[in-house]
Amino acid sequence: MIDLVLIAVCVFLAVFAGIQFWQSQKTSDSGPVVLEEDAPKAYKVSSVRQSLQTLNIAIEPLVLMVLVLLFSVCVFLVFLEFFPDAWTMAAAAGCAATIMAYFLLSDLSRWARSRFEQKLIEALDLVQAAVQGGVSPQKALRVAADATKGAVGKELREVADRLGYGLPIDKAMERMQYRYNSESVRLFKQAMIAKWESGGDFAPLLRSISELMREQLKIRIQIAAQLSGAKYAAIFTGALPYLLVPLFLWKQPDWFDPLRNSEYGSTYLLVAVLCQVFGYLWLRRLLRVEL
């Protein structure tokens, strides 16, 4: 089994190195970088690419696809190592691993968007305070960006830089909405567009937006607290078996032999994994609350 896993890892490293080298050559010869708003529509609607950019993972979807496929191959080979004749069961286990990887990426992206919204509320307070102090909205964005760490500060600084380059406000805000597409970000973008197009006092508008976003965050926290039991049940149900099995095999190497030598051992194991995947998807559906 170790030899098969090592072969799969070596193949992945070779493919990854080749793709990275091809991308570096393509980037060096392609000229200026294309902004998201200038990219084709197919680029914009790519949910995998959007999730990767939300998580700040600088790889192409093709590289991620290769990684997930090789992980599925490893699951397939490990299953065959324990049950050599169960080819159908091993293929089903590999497909389940691929599906779980996609949903895991989506959930991590949604968590990152939620964290971005929480930090954005704090940054809006800084923008509002700077505007009330007599600073222009563009400079207020830069002040908030300099005082805010993480993704929010980076995105606000990008908005201020694009405005300084002469881009219209909708184009300046487009990258933030593309990466962190949520209700709060869309509301903030529409408020900025309304301010730039109509003028007027910006501080009361920011105050109203901040209060609305805080109320949404408060409701979301209350719902998350009520669903915390299901959340931790999903975590322990998903992680505990894979933590205990290596421990049992380390303490008692023949612990897995009865299931391995049984005629229906592969069927029992596959049904257990599929039930776990189904339970994870069901709990994920219950925990997905969008406000």
Side-chain angles (χ1 to χ4, degrees):
M1 180 179 66
I2 297 178
D3 296 338
L4 297 176
V5 173
L6 289 177
I7 291 174
V9 171
C10 291
V11 171
F12 165 72
L13 291 177
V15 174
F16 180 80
I19 293 176
Q20 289 293 101
F21 176 78
W22 176 76
Q23 289 179 352
S24 64
Q25 295 294 324
K26 183 178 179 180
T27 303
S28 61
D29 299 335
S30 59
V33 178
V34 179
L35 299 177
E36 284 87 348
E37 58 268 19
D38 300 326
K41 285 290 183 180
Y43 175 84
K44 286 189 173 185
V45 299
S46 175
S47 60
V48 175
R49 185 186 295 273
Q50 185 177 9
S51 298
L52 290 173
Q53 293 199 3
T54 301
L55 297 172
N56 199 23
I57 301 177
I59 62 175
E60 289 292 323
L62 179 61
V63 178
L64 178 66
M65 186 183 301
V66 172
L67 175 62
V68 172
L69 289 178
L70 287 175
F71 173 72
S72 302
V73 170
C74 290
V75 173
F76 176 80
L77 295 176
V78 170
F79 201 98
L80 284 182
E81 180 68 19
F82 288 102
F83 306 99
D85 298 329
W87 289 87
T88 304
M89 305 295 182
C95 294
T98 303
I99 296 173
M100 290 293 291
Y102 174 78
F103 283 119
L104 180 61
L105 178 66
S106 178
D107 290 342
L108 289 176
S109 175
R110 188 164 60 93
W111 174 81
R113 291 196 300 269
S114 178
R115 293 284 297 175
F116 185 86
E117 285 183 292
Q118 297 178 19
K119 297 297 182 180
L120 183 61
I121 296 175
E122 301 174 2
L124 287 182
D125 293 338
L126 297 176
V127 176
Q128 177 187 345
V131 171
Q132 288 180 341
V135 179
S136 65
Q138 183 176 347
K139 291 184 178 180
L141 289 174
R142 191 171 295 278
V143 170
D146 294 337
T148 306
K149 298 180 180 179
V152 175
K154 180 180 179 181
E155 294 301 324
L156 291 179
R157 189 175 299 108
E158 181 69 21
V159 172
D161 290 340
R162 291 188 175 194
L163 291 174
Y165 297 151
L167 290 176
I169 183 61
D170 57 335
K171 297 297 184 181
M173 295 286 298
E174 195 162 89
R175 192 184 87 155
M176 180 187 294
Q177 182 180 354
Y178 175 79
R179 289 192 170 187
Y180 305 95
N181 190 13
S182 60
E183 186 67 27
S184 298
V185 174
R186 291 193 295 268
L187 181 62
F188 178 50
K189 177 183 177 181
Q190 294 303 320
M192 294 288 291
I193 293 175
K195 165 62 182 68
W196 248 259
E197 291 182 352
S198 62
D201 193 0
F202 195 34
L205 181 60
L206 282 179
R207 188 182 305 112
S208 301
I209 294 174
S210 179
E211 292 176 357
L212 180 59
M213 292 170 62
R214 288 182 189 278
E215 188 65 25
Q216 289 181 340
L217 180 61
K218 180 181 177 181
I219 297 175
R220 188 181 292 118
I221 291 176
Q222 291 176 352
I223 296 177
Q226 295 175 358
L227 296 176
S228 60
K231 176 182 178 181
Y232 289 111
I235 294 175
F236 283 109
T237 301
L240 198 59
Y242 301 101
L243 296 177
L244 291 179
V245 169
L247 179 63
F248 291 159
L249 290 177
W250 174 52
K251 291 296 184 179
Q252 189 175 357
D254 57 347
W255 173 80
F256 201 73
D257 289 344
L259 182 63
R260 183 178 181 179
N261 297 328
S262 174
E263 181 181 359
Y264 301 102
S266 59
T267 304
Y268 295 153
L269 183 61
L270 180 64
V271 170
V273 173
L274 292 180
C275 287
Q276 187 183 37
V277 172
F278 176 77
Y280 167 78
L281 296 179
W282 182 255
L283 289 175
R284 177 180 180 271
R285 180 179 179 274
L286 295 178
L287 293 173
R288 289 193 64 179
V289 178
E290 297 288 348
L291 295 177

PDB file of all heavy atoms in Angstrom, residues 179-199:
ATOM      1  N   ARG A 179     -14.878  38.162  -5.427  1.00  0.00           N
ATOM      2  CA  ARG A 179     -14.223  37.246  -4.504  1.00  0.00           C
ATOM      3  C   ARG A 179     -15.081  36.914  -3.296  1.00  0.00           C
ATOM      4  O   ARG A 179     -15.074  35.775  -2.817  1.00  0.00           O
ATOM      5  CB  ARG A 179     -12.892  37.840  -4.033  1.00  0.00           C
ATOM      6  CG  ARG A 179     -11.817  37.863  -5.098  1.00  0.00           C
ATOM      7  CD  ARG A 179     -10.473  38.182  -4.489  1.00  0.00           C
ATOM      8  NE  ARG A 179      -9.389  37.985  -5.436  1.00  0.00           N
ATOM      9  CZ  ARG A 179      -8.109  38.070  -5.126  1.00  0.00           C
ATOM     10  NH1 ARG A 179      -7.752  38.361  -3.895  1.00  0.00           N
ATOM     11  NH2 ARG A 179      -7.177  37.874  -6.039  1.00  0.00           N
ATOM     12  N   TYR A 180     -15.811  37.889  -2.772  1.00  0.00           N
ATOM     13  CA  TYR A 180     -16.580  37.712  -1.551  1.00  0.00           C
ATOM     14  C   TYR A 180     -18.043  38.077  -1.820  1.00  0.00           C
ATOM     15  O   TYR A 180     -18.573  39.033  -1.251  1.00  0.00           O
ATOM     16  CB  TYR A 180     -16.006  38.565  -0.422  1.00  0.00           C
ATOM     17  CG  TYR A 180     -14.544  38.300  -0.171  1.00  0.00           C
ATOM     18  CD1 TYR A 180     -13.560  39.083  -0.766  1.00  0.00           C
ATOM     19  CD2 TYR A 180     -14.137  37.236   0.624  1.00  0.00           C
ATOM     20  CE1 TYR A 180     -12.210  38.831  -0.547  1.00  0.00           C
ATOM     21  CE2 TYR A 180     -12.793  36.972   0.844  1.00  0.00           C
ATOM     22  CZ  TYR A 180     -11.837  37.775   0.256  1.00  0.00           C
ATOM     23  OH  TYR A 180     -10.509  37.517   0.461  1.00  0.00           O
ATOM     24  N   ASN A 181     -18.649  37.329  -2.698  1.00  0.00           N
ATOM     25  CA  ASN A 181     -20.015  37.627  -3.136  1.00  0.00           C
ATOM     26  C   ASN A 181     -20.998  37.248  -2.039  1.00  0.00           C
ATOM     27  O   ASN A 181     -21.326  36.077  -1.846  1.00  0.00           O
ATOM     28  CB  ASN A 181     -20.320  36.868  -4.427  1.00  0.00           C
ATOM     29  CG  ASN A 181     -21.624  37.322  -5.050  1.00  0.00           C
ATOM     30  OD1 ASN A 181     -22.172  38.354  -4.666  1.00  0.00           O
ATOM     31  ND2 ASN A 181     -22.126  36.561  -5.989  1.00  0.00           N
ATOM     32  N   SER A 182     -21.458  38.250  -1.292  1.00  0.00           N
ATOM     33  CA  SER A 182     -22.419  38.042  -0.218  1.00  0.00           C
ATOM     34  C   SER A 182     -23.357  39.239  -0.166  1.00  0.00           C
ATOM     35  O   SER A 182     -23.152  40.247  -0.847  1.00  0.00           O
ATOM     36  CB  SER A 182     -21.707  37.865   1.131  1.00  0.00           C
ATOM     37  OG  SER A 182     -20.949  39.014   1.445  1.00  0.00           O
ATOM     38  N   GLU A 183     -24.381  39.125   0.659  1.00  0.00           N
ATOM     39  CA  GLU A 183     -25.377  40.187   0.747  1.00  0.00           C
ATOM     40  C   GLU A 183     -24.762  41.491   1.247  1.00  0.00           C
ATOM     41  O   GLU A 183     -25.064  42.569   0.732  1.00  0.00           O
ATOM     42  CB  GLU A 183     -26.510  39.738   1.675  1.00  0.00           C
ATOM     43  CG  GLU A 183     -27.681  40.703   1.747  1.00  0.00           C
ATOM     44  CD  GLU A 183     -28.448  40.799   0.444  1.00  0.00           C
ATOM     45  OE1 GLU A 183     -28.440  39.821  -0.318  1.00  0.00           O
ATOM     46  OE2 GLU A 183     -29.046  41.860   0.188  1.00  0.00           O
ATOM     47  N   SER A 184     -23.905  41.404   2.243  1.00  0.00           N
ATOM     48  CA  SER A 184     -23.297  42.623   2.804  1.00  0.00           C
ATOM     49  C   SER A 184     -22.379  43.300   1.795  1.00  0.00           C
ATOM     50  O   SER A 184     -22.374  44.533   1.685  1.00  0.00           O
ATOM     51  CB  SER A 184     -22.525  42.267   4.078  1.00  0.00           C
ATOM     52  OG  SER A 184     -23.389  41.734   5.060  1.00  0.00           O
ATOM     53  N   VAL A 185     -21.609  42.518   1.073  1.00  0.00           N
ATOM     54  CA  VAL A 185     -20.702  43.104   0.086  1.00  0.00           C
ATOM     55  C   VAL A 185     -21.491  43.749  -1.041  1.00  0.00           C
ATOM     56  O   VAL A 185     -21.143  44.849  -1.512  1.00  0.00           O
ATOM     57  CB  VAL A 185     -19.737  42.027  -0.437  1.00  0.00           C
ATOM     58  CG1 VAL A 185     -18.872  42.575  -1.562  1.00  0.00           C
ATOM     59  CG2 VAL A 185     -18.850  41.504   0.685  1.00  0.00           C
ATOM     60  N   ARG A 186     -22.546  43.097  -1.499  1.00  0.00           N
ATOM     61  CA  ARG A 186     -23.371  43.696  -2.553  1.00  0.00           C
ATOM     62  C   ARG A 186     -24.041  44.984  -2.076  1.00  0.00           C
ATOM     63  O   ARG A 186     -24.154  45.962  -2.828  1.00  0.00           O
ATOM     64  CB  ARG A 186     -24.425  42.688  -3.021  1.00  0.00           C
ATOM     65  CG  ARG A 186     -23.851  41.504  -3.782  1.00  0.00           C
ATOM     66  CD  ARG A 186     -24.942  40.714  -4.476  1.00  0.00           C
ATOM     67  NE  ARG A 186     -25.845  40.098  -3.522  1.00  0.00           N
ATOM     68  CZ  ARG A 186     -25.696  38.865  -3.037  1.00  0.00           C
ATOM     69  NH1 ARG A 186     -24.655  38.134  -3.397  1.00  0.00           N
ATOM     70  NH2 ARG A 186     -26.565  38.367  -2.191  1.00  0.00           N
ATOM     71  N   LEU A 187     -24.474  45.002  -0.818  1.00  0.00           N
ATOM     72  CA  LEU A 187     -25.087  46.208  -0.264  1.00  0.00           C
ATOM     73  C   LEU A 187     -24.074  47.341  -0.180  1.00  0.00           C
ATOM     74  O   LEU A 187     -24.370  48.494  -0.514  1.00  0.00           O
ATOM     75  CB  LEU A 187     -25.656  45.888   1.121  1.00  0.00           C
ATOM     76  CG  LEU A 187     -26.359  47.027   1.857  1.00  0.00           C
ATOM     77  CD1 LEU A 187     -27.578  47.501   1.079  1.00  0.00           C
ATOM     78  CD2 LEU A 187     -26.770  46.569   3.261  1.00  0.00           C
ATOM     79  N   PHE A 188     -22.868  47.024   0.244  1.00  0.00           N
ATOM     80  CA  PHE A 188     -21.813  48.031   0.326  1.00  0.00           C
ATOM     81  C   PHE A 188     -21.470  48.571  -1.056  1.00  0.00           C
ATOM     82  O   PHE A 188     -21.270  49.782  -1.240  1.00  0.00           O
ATOM     83  CB  PHE A 188     -20.583  47.413   0.992  1.00  0.00           C
ATOM     84  CG  PHE A 188     -19.406  48.337   1.091  1.00  0.00           C
ATOM     85  CD1 PHE A 188     -19.542  49.612   1.606  1.00  0.00           C
ATOM     86  CD2 PHE A 188     -18.155  47.924   0.657  1.00  0.00           C
ATOM     87  CE1 PHE A 188     -18.450  50.469   1.701  1.00  0.00           C
ATOM     88  CE2 PHE A 188     -17.069  48.770   0.738  1.00  0.00           C
ATOM     89  CZ  PHE A 188     -17.211  50.047   1.269  1.00  0.00           C
ATOM     90  N   LYS A 189     -21.426  47.706  -2.037  1.00  0.00           N
ATOM     91  CA  LYS A 189     -21.123  48.152  -3.394  1.00  0.00           C
ATOM     92  C   LYS A 189     -22.207  49.083  -3.929  1.00  0.00           C
ATOM     93  O   LYS A 189     -21.899  50.140  -4.517  1.00  0.00           O
ATOM     94  CB  LYS A 189     -20.976  46.935  -4.313  1.00  0.00           C
ATOM     95  CG  LYS A 189     -20.719  47.310  -5.774  1.00  0.00           C
ATOM     96  CD  LYS A 189     -20.653  46.089  -6.664  1.00  0.00           C
ATOM     97  CE  LYS A 189     -20.477  46.497  -8.131  1.00  0.00           C
ATOM     98  NZ  LYS A 189     -20.433  45.328  -9.029  1.00  0.00           N
ATOM     99  N   GLN A 190     -23.469  48.738  -3.740  1.00  0.00           N
ATOM    100  CA  GLN A 190     -24.546  49.585  -4.232  1.00  0.00           C
ATOM    101  C   GLN A 190     -24.560  50.935  -3.523  1.00  0.00           C
ATOM    102  O   GLN A 190     -24.868  51.970  -4.141  1.00  0.00           O
ATOM    103  CB  GLN A 190     -25.894  48.876  -4.043  1.00  0.00           C
ATOM    104  CG  GLN A 190     -26.056  47.634  -4.890  1.00  0.00           C
ATOM    105  CD  GLN A 190     -25.891  47.913  -6.377  1.00  0.00           C
ATOM    106  OE1 GLN A 190     -26.349  48.929  -6.888  1.00  0.00           O
ATOM    107  NE2 GLN A 190     -25.234  46.995  -7.079  1.00  0.00           N
ATOM    108  N   ALA A 191     -24.214  50.951  -2.236  1.00  0.00           N
ATOM    109  CA  ALA A 191     -24.137  52.221  -1.514  1.00  0.00           C
ATOM    110  C   ALA A 191     -23.019  53.104  -2.059  1.00  0.00           C
ATOM    111  O   ALA A 191     -23.180  54.327  -2.205  1.00  0.00           O
ATOM    112  CB  ALA A 191     -23.929  51.956  -0.026  1.00  0.00           C
ATOM    113  N   MET A 192     -21.876  52.501  -2.364  1.00  0.00           N
ATOM    114  CA  MET A 192     -20.764  53.267  -2.926  1.00  0.00           C
ATOM    115  C   MET A 192     -21.126  53.826  -4.298  1.00  0.00           C
ATOM    116  O   MET A 192     -20.817  54.988  -4.618  1.00  0.00           O
ATOM    117  CB  MET A 192     -19.534  52.367  -3.028  1.00  0.00           C
ATOM    118  CG  MET A 192     -18.971  51.905  -1.693  1.00  0.00           C
ATOM    119  SD  MET A 192     -18.152  53.234  -0.791  1.00  0.00           S
ATOM    120  CE  MET A 192     -16.712  53.493  -1.809  1.00  0.00           C
ATOM    121  N   ILE A 193     -21.805  53.017  -5.114  1.00  0.00           N
ATOM    122  CA  ILE A 193     -22.212  53.491  -6.440  1.00  0.00           C
ATOM    123  C   ILE A 193     -23.199  54.640  -6.310  1.00  0.00           C
ATOM    124  O   ILE A 193     -23.110  55.656  -7.036  1.00  0.00           O
ATOM    125  CB  ILE A 193     -22.815  52.327  -7.252  1.00  0.00           C
ATOM    126  CG1 ILE A 193     -21.739  51.277  -7.564  1.00  0.00           C
ATOM    127  CG2 ILE A 193     -23.441  52.833  -8.539  1.00  0.00           C
ATOM    128  CD1 ILE A 193     -22.272  50.043  -8.257  1.00  0.00           C
ATOM    129  N   ALA A 194     -24.160  54.508  -5.387  1.00  0.00           N
ATOM    130  CA  ALA A 194     -25.138  55.575  -5.194  1.00  0.00           C
ATOM    131  C   ALA A 194     -24.468  56.864  -4.728  1.00  0.00           C
ATOM    132  O   ALA A 194     -24.834  57.968  -5.161  1.00  0.00           O
ATOM    133  CB  ALA A 194     -26.193  55.132  -4.186  1.00  0.00           C
ATOM    134  N   LYS A 195     -23.466  56.741  -3.855  1.00  0.00           N
ATOM    135  CA  LYS A 195     -22.769  57.935  -3.371  1.00  0.00           C
ATOM    136  C   LYS A 195     -21.998  58.611  -4.495  1.00  0.00           C
ATOM    137  O   LYS A 195     -22.040  59.835  -4.652  1.00  0.00           O
ATOM    138  CB  LYS A 195     -21.806  57.550  -2.235  1.00  0.00           C
ATOM    139  CG  LYS A 195     -20.763  58.608  -1.885  1.00  0.00           C
ATOM    140  CD  LYS A 195     -21.400  59.898  -1.389  1.00  0.00           C
ATOM    141  CE  LYS A 195     -20.342  60.955  -1.096  1.00  0.00           C
ATOM    142  NZ  LYS A 195     -19.667  61.430  -2.302  1.00  0.00           N
ATOM    143  N   TRP A 196     -21.294  57.842  -5.282  1.00  0.00           N
ATOM    144  CA  TRP A 196     -20.473  58.432  -6.346  1.00  0.00           C
ATOM    145  C   TRP A 196     -21.334  59.058  -7.446  1.00  0.00           C
ATOM    146  O   TRP A 196     -20.936  60.020  -8.062  1.00  0.00           O
ATOM    147  CB  TRP A 196     -19.561  57.359  -6.940  1.00  0.00           C
ATOM    148  CG  TRP A 196     -18.112  57.602  -6.625  1.00  0.00           C
ATOM    149  CD1 TRP A 196     -17.169  58.132  -7.445  1.00  0.00           C
ATOM    150  CD2 TRP A 196     -17.442  57.306  -5.393  1.00  0.00           C
ATOM    151  NE1 TRP A 196     -15.954  58.193  -6.814  1.00  0.00           N
ATOM    152  CE2 TRP A 196     -16.086  57.689  -5.544  1.00  0.00           C
ATOM    153  CE3 TRP A 196     -17.840  56.763  -4.181  1.00  0.00           C
ATOM    154  CZ2 TRP A 196     -15.153  57.548  -4.534  1.00  0.00           C
ATOM    155  CZ3 TRP A 196     -16.907  56.624  -3.180  1.00  0.00           C
ATOM    156  CH2 TRP A 196     -15.589  57.006  -3.351  1.00  0.00           C
ATOM    157  N   GLU A 197     -22.499  58.485  -7.692  1.00  0.00           N
ATOM    158  CA  GLU A 197     -23.330  59.001  -8.777  1.00  0.00           C
ATOM    159  C   GLU A 197     -24.214  60.170  -8.357  1.00  0.00           C
ATOM    160  O   GLU A 197     -24.456  61.084  -9.142  1.00  0.00           O
ATOM    161  CB  GLU A 197     -24.211  57.877  -9.340  1.00  0.00           C
ATOM    162  CG  GLU A 197     -23.415  56.813 -10.080  1.00  0.00           C
ATOM    163  CD  GLU A 197     -24.313  55.747 -10.666  1.00  0.00           C
ATOM    164  OE1 GLU A 197     -25.528  55.776 -10.362  1.00  0.00           O
ATOM    165  OE2 GLU A 197     -23.809  54.888 -11.411  1.00  0.00           O
ATOM    166  N   SER A 198     -24.695  60.143  -7.105  1.00  0.00           N
ATOM    167  CA  SER A 198     -25.621  61.188  -6.674  1.00  0.00           C
ATOM    168  C   SER A 198     -24.999  62.214  -5.752  1.00  0.00           C
ATOM    169  O   SER A 198     -25.548  63.310  -5.584  1.00  0.00           O
ATOM    170  CB  SER A 198     -26.831  60.550  -5.966  1.00  0.00           C
ATOM    171  OG  SER A 198     -26.403  59.842  -4.806  1.00  0.00           O
ATOM    172  N   GLY A 199     -23.870  61.888  -5.135  1.00  0.00           N
ATOM    173  CA  GLY A 199     -23.255  62.809  -4.193  1.00  0.00           C
ATOM    174  C   GLY A 199     -23.999  62.822  -2.865  1.00  0.00           C
ATOM    175  O   GLY A 199     -24.709  61.875  -2.512  1.00  0.00           O
TER     176      GLY A 199
END
